[in-house]
Amino acid sequence: FPQGAPTSHPFAMRVRVCCLASAAAGGLVANPISKVVEILQSLKAKVVKEGEAEQASFEQFGHFCKTESQEKQFDIRDGENQVEQLQATVEKSSARIEELESRIAKLAETVTSDENDLKRAKDIRKKEHDEYKDK
C-alpha cells in the first residue's frame, strides 16, 4: 500500500483479506488459526475415540453388574427358601425327638416294672421250690 493511503478504507481491508487468504491457500504462510483448528480437530477425534472405548467398557460393566445382581437375587431367594425348609425340618424333628423321648421314658418304666415283677416272681418260685423240697 502506498504511504499515506488510508488502511481503514473498505477496499484496502478487502485487499488485505484476499492477500492473506490466497497466501494461506497457497501454503506460502502458515496460518496459526488453521494450526489451532487442526489441533482441535485431532483432539476432538481422540476424545471421541476414547469416549467410544469408555462407552463400550461401561456397557460391558453395566451388563456384568446386571447379570451379577440377578444371580445374587436368585441366590438370596433360594437361600431364604432353604432357610424356611430347614426351619420346618428342625421343628418337625424336634417334635419327633420329644415324642421318642416320651416313648423311651414309658418303655424304661415298663422295663423297670417288668424287672421288678420278674424278681418277685423268681422270689416266689424259689420260695415255693424251697417249700416243695422241704416236704
Side-chain angles (χ1 to χ4, degrees), residues 15-74:
V15 169
R16 277 191 190 157
V17 168
C18 288
C19 287
L20 287 174
S22 66
L28 299 174
V29 176
N31 187 355
I33 294 174
S34 64
K35 285 186 178 184
V36 169
V37 169
E38 286 178 27
I39 292 171
L40 289 176
Q41 287 175 344
S42 69
L43 284 175
K44 177 185 174 187
K46 182 179 177 182
V47 167
V48 168
K49 184 178 177 182
E50 289 174 356
E52 289 171 352
E54 286 296 320
Q55 180 67 28
S57 295
F58 180 77
E59 288 175 2
Q60 286 179 337
F61 184 70
H63 178 71
F64 168 77
C65 289
K66 183 178 178 181
T67 303
E68 286 295 312
S69 174
Q70 289 174 346
E71 287 179 12
K72 297 302 177 205
Q73 287 175 354
F74 290 135

Side-chain angles (χ1 to χ4, degrees), residues 121-133:
K122 283 183 178 182
D123 289 343
I124 291 172
R125 286 193 184 103
K126 184 177 185 219
K127 183 179 175 186
E128 288 175 351
H129 179 67
D130 289 342
E131 287 175 6
Y132 177 73
K133 262 174 118 184

Side-chain angles (χ1 to χ4, degrees), residues 11-12 23-25 30 46 51 62 82 89 94 97 101 110 115-116 129:
F11 178 76
K46 182 179 177 182
Q82 190 175 15
T89 301
S94 295
I97 288 170
E101 285 176 345
T110 303
E115 287 175 346
N116 290 336
H129 179 67

